[in-house]
Amino acid sequence: MPEYILTFVVALAAAALVIAAAAFLTTERFGTGRGARGLRQDTRRAWDVVRRRRPLTTPAASDELERVVSAEPVETSLDDFFAANVTPGTGYLDAEVLVDRVGRAATAAKAAASRTTSRAS
């Protein structure tokens, strides 16, 4: 039984180290995130919420949430919804490009397979 508890504690410590390292490296390497200070602030705020010393949401967020929840639903058809959100240009997935890539991949796979069988012979 003690070895399971020790394993669990070591796993928690390793997870904490990975999270701290990620917080530090994101700030140092990419110039994004809030780093170790932000991690410490977020952890402290989460712990305060758990201990019920701080509300889960701020009053401004609560007001916004109440506004969204109490809003009247919008009745629209799917056709109208998609027609209102049409964007010009090619879509996310262009069929011609996809067919071209699949064709090149198939050609490369056939060539690789023929090289492999010719070496085996």
Side-chain angles (χ1 to χ4, degrees):
M1 183 71 169
E3 60 270 2
Y4 293 121
I5 295 173
L6 180 64
T7 303
F8 183 72
V9 169
V10 168
L12 280 178
L17 285 174
V18 166
I19 290 170
F24 178 73
L25 289 176
T26 350
T27 303
E28 291 296 315
R29 194 162 176 209
F30 302 110
T32 60
R34 297 181 349 204
R37 179 179 296 145
L39 176 65
R40 189 174 61 248
Q41 289 172 348
D42 291 344
T43 304
R44 187 175 298 145
R45 286 183 186 140
W47 186 245
D48 287 345
V49 167
V50 168
R51 293 186 311 183
R52 300 185 193 276
R53 291 185 177 181
R54 182 187 300 243
L56 186 58
T57 59
T58 63
S62 271
D63 294 343
E64 178 68 13
L65 182 62
E66 180 63 32
R67 186 186 67 77
V68 169
V69 168
S70 64
E72 291 295 320
V74 176
E75 294 295 327
T76 184
S77 69
L78 281 177
D79 292 334
D80 294 338
F81 175 77
F82 288 121
N85 294 306
V86 171
T87 56
T90 61
Y92 176 74
L93 186 62
D94 189 7
E96 293 176 4
V97 172
L98 183 62
V99 168
D100 182 49
R101 287 185 182 170
V102 169
R104 284 188 285 153
T107 305
K110 287 177 187 174
S114 66
R115 283 193 306 264
T116 304
T117 40
S118 64
R119 289 183 190 166
S121 300

